[in-house]
Amino acid sequence: MERFASVERKTNETDISLKFGLDGEGNSSIMTGVPFMTHMLDLFTKHGKFDLTVDAKGDTEVDDHHTTEDIGICLGQTLLEALGDKRGIKRYGNAFVPMDEALAQVVIDLSNRPHLEFRAEFPSQKVGTFDTELVHEFLWKFALEARMNLHVVVHYGHNTHHMIEAIFKALGRALDEATTIDPRVKGIPSTKGML
């Protein structure tokens, strides 16, 4: 069964079409109007071996906030739909990714209980024109809409670009692990009988 979902979100601030496939090959076609976010989503897709198409238009003349936030919402919604009843998945994922001097860790539980724990302090408030506080905004909306526990820890680093890049690569790898179908898992991976 193909684990795939798509969503369209149109507001007064953004117009987004997003398609997300869990069992992909790392293929992406991403146009966000936010160059740094496009770069991060491309890394996430490649390292998670997902397929992702994003066509986003937003009020970037104001700033990148609404576009970044709404992409996180859309990605979370498609992840939740693509997972279905979560039968047979590993459920948990953990990845450490180094990027030169930076080391990031992402741990995921596809628990149906949304929570973001974010432990990262970036030396710079911007990477190019991108406000680094939007990393937290994106991840929180992604976790909220996907209804997952998402723990992000940057253990160390001093180059903000490297630190954020390590986060997105680790996010892809941890999510790939958590969504993997494990033939040893019979039914829903919870003593509750549901997630």
Side-chain angles (χ1 to χ4, degrees), residues 117-176:
E117 198 64 38
F118 186 78
R119 306 288 176 89
E121 294 183 16
F122 301 127
S124 303
Q125 292 183 338
K126 285 187 177 288
V127 176
T129 60
F130 184 81
D131 293 316
T132 56
E133 68 180 11
L134 295 179
V135 175
H136 180 279
E137 194 66 30
F138 171 84
L139 293 171
W140 168 229
K141 293 309 187 303
F142 183 32
L144 183 64
E145 295 294 333
R147 301 195 57 80
M148 66 178 166
N149 264 222
L150 176 57
H151 291 245
V152 177
V153 182
V154 176
H155 292 281
Y156 44 80
H158 57 76
N159 181 294
T160 301
H161 187 131
H162 291 168
M163 295 163 78
I164 298 171
E165 184 164 328
I167 289 171
F168 276 84
K169 288 176 177 177
L171 178 65
R173 289 177 174 270
L175 188 61
D176 177 46

Side-chain angles (χ1 to χ4, degrees), residues 80 86 91-92 108-117 140 142-151 189-192 194-195:
L80 186 64
K86 302 178 185 173
R91 175 179 166 178
Y92 297 97
I108 289 172
D109 176 9
L110 296 172
S111 60
N112 204 38
R113 294 188 306 276
H115 180 80
L116 172 64
E117 198 64 38
W140 168 229
F142 183 32
L144 183 64
E145 295 294 333
R147 301 195 57 80
M148 66 178 166
N149 264 222
L150 176 57
H151 291 245
S190 171
T191 55
K192 296 182 180 70
M194 64 174 290
L195 285 172

Side-chain angles (χ1 to χ4, degrees), residues 82-115:
L83 281 169
D85 64 6
K86 302 178 185 173
R87 190 173 301 276
I89 64 168
K90 285 189 173 180
R91 175 179 166 178
Y92 297 97
N94 178 39
F96 285 90
V97 169
M99 177 65 194
D100 293 354
E101 86 300 339
L103 179 66
Q105 180 183 16
V106 173
V107 184
I108 289 172
D109 176 9
L110 296 172
S111 60
N112 204 38
R113 294 188 306 276
H115 180 80

Side-chain angles (χ1 to χ4, degrees), residues 2 11 33 35 46 51 64 75 84 98 114 120 171 177 179:
E2 186 180 21
T11 72
K46 182 65 71 176
D51 287 339
D64 297 335
L75 188 61
L171 178 65
E177 181 181 359
T179 59

